Amino acid sequence: MGTITTSDGTEIFYKDWGTGQPIVFSHGWPLSADDWDNQLLFFLSKGYRVVAHDRRGHGRSTQTGDGHDMDHYADDLKAVVDHLDLRDCIHVGHSTGGGEVTHYLARHGEDRAAKAALLCAVPPLMVQTDANPEGLPKAVFDDLQAQLAANRSAFYRALPEGPFYGFNRPGAVPSEAVIANWWRQGMMGGAKAHYDGIVAFSQTDFTEDLRTITIPVLVVHSEDDQIVPYADSGPKSAALLKNGVLKTYKDLPHGLPTTHADVVNADLLEFFRS
């Protein structure tokens, strides 16, 4: 574990374990590298080098007041990759992290990348626009910001208790440990970063980014994702990619890397080894 300092003075925390081909994990909003603990240990045991960083303003990275946009997220990811001199990387991004990975590959090129996986990721575009009528109305994201500003702690309990992990579905058995860990990670980060991050993940259009990527990309999404709706995300991203493969689950939640790690890890490993 260590930190690097970016060109604008932001400290980025990262974990770096093992040897072998590197897998670089980009976490979702408003979490941290800790959200990948299961995957880090699993792929470490399979002979990979595993790297995961806390996005600026999240986790143990600097709670800077600005730079909470996809350009900075992609540049910070590049700073980690360059600092560790990672090559032949496999990039894995969940939710907002999938947007980060997509923008990084398009903005900084694929010379150090071999493959990528986007899990329940926000591309191509979440918000409703004239060009994206199937998207969610901007009022949905405005409401998220309002709830965060009013009582972030309460908001960060309600999301994992409900739609993030599908614990609001009939027959679901909520895990207090999973809910508390989500809350813990969220509250480690900065309110300003998380507030601005809602705009970054919802209003950034990744359409052209997806079209420029040529490496193999596995797009993983569930039809029952209540956070990033399936129809306007996974299938569209896979269709825009030059070398995209869509893996659809029927009834798994948005937080499937945690709730169904055994299923997701096996599918990722198969893709990485193929």
Side-chain angles (χ1 to χ4, degrees), residues 22-241:
I23 307 176
V24 184
F25 294 88
S26 294
H27 64 79
W29 174 98
L31 303 172
S32 73
D34 292 354
D35 202 46
W36 291 114
D37 281 351
N38 181 286
Q39 283 71 37
L40 296 177
L41 293 172
F42 176 82
F43 287 103
L44 181 67
S45 75
K46 300 301 180 182
Y48 291 92
R49 178 180 180 180
V50 292
V51 177
H53 68 290
D54 290 355
R55 188 170 298 120
R56 64 169 55 214
H58 296 62
R60 290 139 293 206
S61 292
T62 303
Q63 291 194 17
T64 179
D66 51 21
H68 307 298
D69 54 72
M70 283 294 163
D71 284 351
H72 281 86
Y73 296 168
D75 293 352
D76 293 347
L77 177 54
K78 181 179 187 298
V80 172
V81 170
D82 289 353
H83 174 75
L84 297 175
D85 194 25
L86 303 177
R87 300 177 186 276
D88 196 32
C89 297
I90 300 170
H91 285 275
V92 181
H94 175 239
S95 196
T96 298
E100 176 180 289
V101 167
T102 299
H103 198 53
Y104 161 78
L105 292 170
R107 183 173 171 87
H108 295 295
E110 303 171 3
D111 60 308
R112 290 176 177 261
K115 291 183 177 181
L118 308 178
L119 312 183
C120 298
V122 297
L125 175 62
M126 285 198 73
V127 74
Q128 185 180 71
T129 64
D130 290 342
N132 186 43
E134 300 89 0
L136 296 170
K138 183 175 178 294
V140 171
F141 305 105
D142 292 343
D143 181 60
L144 295 180
Q145 287 185 309
Q147 291 184 66
L148 186 155
N151 190 330
R152 188 164 66 121
S153 181
F155 181 43
Y156 286 2
R157 283 288 304 192
L159 270 177
E161 285 177 349
F164 196 94
Y165 293 117
F167 291 150
N168 57 341
R169 292 305 197 207
V173 180
S175 167
E176 173 58 27
V178 167
I179 294 166
N181 192 42
W182 200 102
W183 178 90
R184 175 191 68 84
Q185 291 180 74
M187 294 305 292
M188 284 170 62
K192 180 64 162 55
H194 296 169
Y195 187 90
D196 292 351
I198 293 170
V199 174
F201 76 65
S202 66
Q203 297 186 29
T204 302
D205 189 341
F206 300 95
T207 301
E208 294 307 315
D209 289 346
L210 291 163
R211 286 183 173 136
T212 68
I213 297 170
T214 62
I215 60 172
V217 180
L218 178 65
V219 180
V220 173
H221 221 105
S222 174
E223 293 177 355
D224 196 39
D225 191 325
Q226 299 176 69
I227 303 297
V228 182
Y230 173 82
D232 198 42
S233 49
K236 289 186 175 181
S237 289
L240 287 164
L241 289 160

